[in-house]
Every structure is written in structure tokens, then in C-alpha cells.
Amino acid sequence: MSESLPVRCPACRRSHRYTAPAYPCACGAPVAAPLDPDRVPDAAGHCSWSEEWVTVRCGSCGTRGEWPQPELGCPCGTVLRIPVVDERADARAGGGTRRPAVPTVPIRSARDAVTAAVLYLRRLGHDDIRRADQRPTSGIGLAGRGVLAQLDPSARPATSRDVECLWLTAMTESATCLYFSLAGYTAEARARADTLDVPLFVLDPSGAACPENAPALTLDADAS
């Protein structure tokens, strides 16, 4: 069962009760971030990409996964960061070296789509994913050491120009690249991606990254 915690907005002093959202672990069990009753929520401001994630262990199978930092929107307009018991330090100290399977996040918003893409990139071994310094011509850019990804959360299929721009940017940064889309790809985009060896993925409503071409199938098989 998800934990519930009374919280007070530091700006307007309104009282709220926050219930941590539960996400499905790879084993199928629901997992919710353990809330820390000894810490006071603070107003969310500018934070680094890594601070938007907390490490949570599944109580059923023991797998540790990365989940979005819990937040609560107050009617006064303040966004509260809800304190949790972050197991990231514990995982570094004694969690072993086995990489756990990565769960998915149901997609209901563009932010959910970003979360799903980041979780998949972590499955590929890229643990340092952040927003790309160079914004793509469309969609959202994600970057890590040696990798560049583009996410298109819009309702239009990605075009061959989108694929070419991602590939060119990756070439200038000496990085590999991959593309995530919610609405799929045009036939021209698929053909161009095959020529340039760019893996194409479609994020389905469950948050799973589905390979859409041969390079993506090869990448997905290597990550399994």
C-alpha cells in the first residue's frame, strides 16, 4: 500500500495529505517511494537532473529502480518536493553490481514520456542522462556520456528531417543516437534511419520502448 504523509506548504501554511504514487516493478508488484516523516517538504526550485530521481527498492523482489522525485502542487502555486528515504546511497554502499530490470511508467503526459525514455536509456547502461545542452529542432533532447537521444511527445509522426538532424548532431558530438516517438515515424523517416543506422523506438501507453527498425532491435537485444 502507498504511504501517506501530512505535509504543510511553507508558503501559505495550508495542510495537505500526500500519498506516494505506486509504479509497477519489473516483477509486477506495486512500488511506492518510502516517505520520510522526519524531514520537512520544501518548495521546488531549480534542480539538477539527478535530483529529480530517487532510488526505491521493491519490497517483493528487492530490485532497485529509479523513480521521479515525489512532488505536490499546492493551490497557492507552490510545488512541494516531498522528502523520501532515498536508497541511492545504500545501493552504492552495498547493493552489488547486478543491474536490475527497469520498470516502465504509464504515459499520460510529456513528462511521463521523458521518464519512460530515461528509464530505457538507464537499462542500456546510461546512468548519467540529462537534458541535452543543444535543444533539437523538435521534441526533447536527452544526453549522456557518448549517447544522444531525441524524444518526440507530439501527435505527429517523426519525419526523415527529424532523424537526419538527430544523426548530424550526434556526429558532431561523437555520440551514438536513438529516437523515441509517441506517434511513430513516416515511411521516409524509417528508410532514412535504416540508412543512417539510427535506432527508432515507439513508446506505447504503458511506457515500454518498442523497437521499430533493425538497429533498434539489435540495441534492444543487447540490453536484455
Side-chain angles (χ1 to χ4, degrees), residues 94-105:
T97 59
R98 180 177 63 88
R99 182 177 300 279
V102 175
T104 58
V105 176

Side-chain angles (χ1 to χ4, degrees), residues 99-100 102 118-127 209 220-221 223-224:
R99 182 177 300 279
V102 175
V118 171
L119 288 174
Y120 186 79
L121 288 166
R122 288 176 182 271
R123 175 187 165 192
L124 296 177
H126 302 290
D127 296 324
D220 191 68
S224 300

